[in-house]
Amino acid sequence: VKLDRLDEVTRELEDPGIWGTPEKAQELGKERARLESVVRNLTELGKGAQEGLELLEMIVAEDDADSLRTLEKDTATIEERVGRLEFARMFGNPMDPSPAYVDIQAGAGGTEAQDWAEMLLRMYLRWCERKGFATELLEVSAGDIAGIKSATFRIEGDYAFGWMRTEIGVHRLVRISPYDSSKRRHTSFASVFVAPEVDDSFEIDINPADLKTDVYRSSGAGGQHVNKTESAVRITHVPSGIVVACQTERSQHANRDRAMKMLKAKMYEAEIARRNIEKDKLEATKSEIGWGHQIRSYVLDDARIKDLRTGVERRDTQTVLDGDLDDYVEASLKQGL
């Protein structure tokens, strides 16, 4: 199937007319690169397995212990590559290869919750850096004293949405609060929401009459132009209540374009969620995003971070908060979450 699709994509790219639509050509080029990688791996693994069988027959015939040890190493390498291919199969969602938008929202609890939201933002940006993903911070709402009330950033990289989607949910922090003079134990919540970036070929009907657009001055660093003009844009889709904001670009027009892309992504994810609810209410309840539906607990004063869905628990809390999340994400993917 992969080989047939590779032939089909190659034929499309060889058609001179495809370059009249550079966006489609670029997307087909990315797909061809992914397919070539899979086909090459499968071909090499098949060849390696066949050569291993032939070598095993010679080893048995000649009772060659040294060659047997070499074959064992080669077999271990093949098993590792097969494992990586098997893992890649878990990215079955058609949107998994897409870039992703990540929203982080602080829960109730004032400064403590806002500090926790900023800790999560730092953790995910570090994790993306470890994986070689490109990130772009699109919007940050600063906390009243410390931390952030909310933030939105974009991730681009190999299967960015596929990797990040398992982090959707509520994250619970338990620690001795540095903001409490009595040094009491505090519990804070923050939510993480992830949506794939949807290209212009995906049809989502957005009625301009349903949109409410607000412009305002950007906050934070950015120079005189950014801070003295109302270049930041907030768009509300009134029927659904979905709100997006962007202040990273220098012009209001560019911020509006970026915000519309974010809105399209969120509306796509909302539509998928709606279909999932209709298809299987039980599954939808499991993945519901809301307070009291935490997916992971970060209990820092007891030095443990436990994923409540997969049971994965680690004691090196600072390493995890510095972006070492693969144990949790991989376990979630393997369970099909």
Side-chain angles (χ1 to χ4, degrees), residues 112 174-180 182-186 300-301:
E112 179 68 16
V174 180
R175 68 171 178 176
I176 305 298
S177 173
Y179 302 101
D180 187 334
S182 301
K183 301 299 178 185
R184 290 173 294 187
R185 202 174 194 237
H186 283 243
L300 302 191
D301 57 321

Short mmCIF file of all heavy atoms in Angstrom, two decimals, residues 112 174-180 182-186 300-301:
data_model
loop_
_atom_site.label_atom_id
_atom_site.label_comp_id
_atom_site.label_asym_id
_atom_site.label_seq_id
_atom_site.Cartn_x
_atom_site.Cartn_y
_atom_site.Cartn_z
N GLU A 112 -0.57 31.01 42.47
CA GLU A 112 -0.04 29.65 42.48
C GLU A 112 -0.40 28.92 41.18
O GLU A 112 0.46 28.27 40.56
CB GLU A 112 -0.60 28.89 43.69
CG GLU A 112 -0.15 27.45 43.81
CD GLU A 112 1.33 27.30 44.13
OE1 GLU A 112 1.97 28.28 44.56
OE2 GLU A 112 1.85 26.19 43.93
N VAL A 174 0.88 19.56 43.03
CA VAL A 174 0.81 19.60 44.49
C VAL A 174 2.22 19.92 45.00
O VAL A 174 3.18 19.22 44.66
CB VAL A 174 0.35 18.24 45.08
CG1 VAL A 174 0.29 18.34 46.60
CG2 VAL A 174 -1.00 17.85 44.52
N ARG A 175 2.35 20.98 45.78
CA ARG A 175 3.67 21.36 46.29
C ARG A 175 3.53 22.31 47.47
O ARG A 175 2.44 22.85 47.74
CB ARG A 175 4.49 22.04 45.20
CG ARG A 175 3.94 23.40 44.78
CD ARG A 175 4.89 24.14 43.86
NE ARG A 175 4.34 25.42 43.43
CZ ARG A 175 4.97 26.31 42.68
NH1 ARG A 175 6.20 26.05 42.26
NH2 ARG A 175 4.40 27.46 42.33
N ILE A 176 4.64 22.51 48.17
CA ILE A 176 4.71 23.56 49.18
C ILE A 176 4.87 24.88 48.43
O ILE A 176 5.87 25.09 47.75
CB ILE A 176 5.89 23.35 50.15
CG1 ILE A 176 5.82 21.95 50.80
CG2 ILE A 176 5.92 24.44 51.20
CD1 ILE A 176 4.59 21.73 51.64
N SER A 177 3.89 25.74 48.55
CA SER A 177 3.87 26.94 47.72
C SER A 177 4.95 27.94 48.13
O SER A 177 5.06 28.30 49.31
CB SER A 177 2.50 27.63 47.81
OG SER A 177 2.55 28.88 47.14
N PRO A 178 5.76 28.42 47.15
CA PRO A 178 6.74 29.46 47.47
C PRO A 178 6.09 30.82 47.69
O PRO A 178 6.76 31.76 48.12
CB PRO A 178 7.63 29.47 46.21
CG PRO A 178 6.75 28.98 45.11
CD PRO A 178 5.83 27.98 45.75
N TYR A 179 4.78 30.90 47.40
CA TYR A 179 4.07 32.17 47.58
C TYR A 179 3.27 32.20 48.88
O TYR A 179 2.54 33.16 49.14
CB TYR A 179 3.13 32.40 46.39
CG TYR A 179 3.86 32.41 45.07
CD1 TYR A 179 3.84 31.30 44.24
CD2 TYR A 179 4.59 33.53 44.67
CE1 TYR A 179 4.53 31.29 43.04
CE2 TYR A 179 5.28 33.54 43.47
CZ TYR A 179 5.24 32.41 42.66
OH TYR A 179 5.93 32.41 41.47
N ASP A 180 3.39 31.16 49.69
CA ASP A 180 2.68 31.08 50.97
C ASP A 180 3.68 31.24 52.10
O ASP A 180 4.55 30.39 52.29
CB ASP A 180 1.96 29.73 51.06
CG ASP A 180 1.05 29.64 52.28
OD1 ASP A 180 1.31 30.35 53.27
OD2 ASP A 180 0.09 28.85 52.24
N SER A 182 3.30 30.81 55.11
CA SER A 182 3.14 29.75 56.11
C SER A 182 3.65 28.40 55.60
O SER A 182 3.57 27.40 56.32
CB SER A 182 1.66 29.61 56.51
OG SER A 182 1.17 30.83 57.04
N LYS A 183 4.15 28.38 54.36
CA LYS A 183 4.72 27.16 53.76
C LYS A 183 3.72 25.99 53.77
O LYS A 183 4.05 24.87 54.12
CB LYS A 183 6.02 26.75 54.47
CG LYS A 183 7.10 27.81 54.44
CD LYS A 183 7.51 28.13 53.01
CE LYS A 183 8.57 29.22 52.96
NZ LYS A 183 8.89 29.62 51.58
N ARG A 184 2.49 26.29 53.38
CA ARG A 184 1.47 25.24 53.33
C ARG A 184 1.48 24.54 51.97
O ARG A 184 1.99 25.06 50.99
CB ARG A 184 0.09 25.84 53.60
CG ARG A 184 -0.12 26.30 55.04
CD ARG A 184 -1.43 27.03 55.21
NE ARG A 184 -1.42 28.30 54.46
CZ ARG A 184 -2.39 29.20 54.53
NH1 ARG A 184 -3.44 28.99 55.29
NH2 ARG A 184 -2.30 30.31 53.84
N ARG A 185 0.88 23.36 51.97
CA ARG A 185 0.79 22.55 50.74
C ARG A 185 -0.39 23.06 49.90
O ARG A 185 -1.50 23.19 50.40
CB ARG A 185 0.55 21.09 51.14
CG ARG A 185 0.94 20.06 50.10
CD ARG A 185 0.78 18.68 50.74
NE ARG A 185 1.41 17.63 49.96
CZ ARG A 185 0.80 16.56 49.50
NH1 ARG A 185 -0.51 16.41 49.72
NH2 ARG A 185 1.45 15.64 48.82
N HIS A 186 -0.13 23.31 48.64
CA HIS A 186 -1.17 23.83 47.76
C HIS A 186 -1.38 22.88 46.58
O HIS A 186 -0.44 22.25 46.10
CB HIS A 186 -0.79 25.21 47.20
CG HIS A 186 -0.98 26.32 48.19
ND1 HIS A 186 -1.86 27.36 47.99
CD2 HIS A 186 -0.39 26.56 49.38
CE1 HIS A 186 -1.80 28.19 49.02
NE2 HIS A 186 -0.92 27.73 49.87
N LEU A 300 5.26 17.44 43.89
CA LEU A 300 6.67 17.78 44.01
C LEU A 300 7.22 17.58 45.41
O LEU A 300 8.39 17.20 45.58
CB LEU A 300 6.90 19.23 43.56
CG LEU A 300 6.46 19.57 42.12
CD1 LEU A 300 6.97 20.93 41.71
CD2 LEU A 300 6.92 18.50 41.14
N ASP A 301 6.41 17.80 46.44
CA ASP A 301 6.94 17.63 47.80
C ASP A 301 7.13 16.15 48.15
O ASP A 301 7.81 15.82 49.13
CB ASP A 301 6.05 18.33 48.84
CG ASP A 301 4.61 17.85 48.80
OD1 ASP A 301 4.10 17.61 47.70
OD2 ASP A 301 3.99 17.70 49.86
#
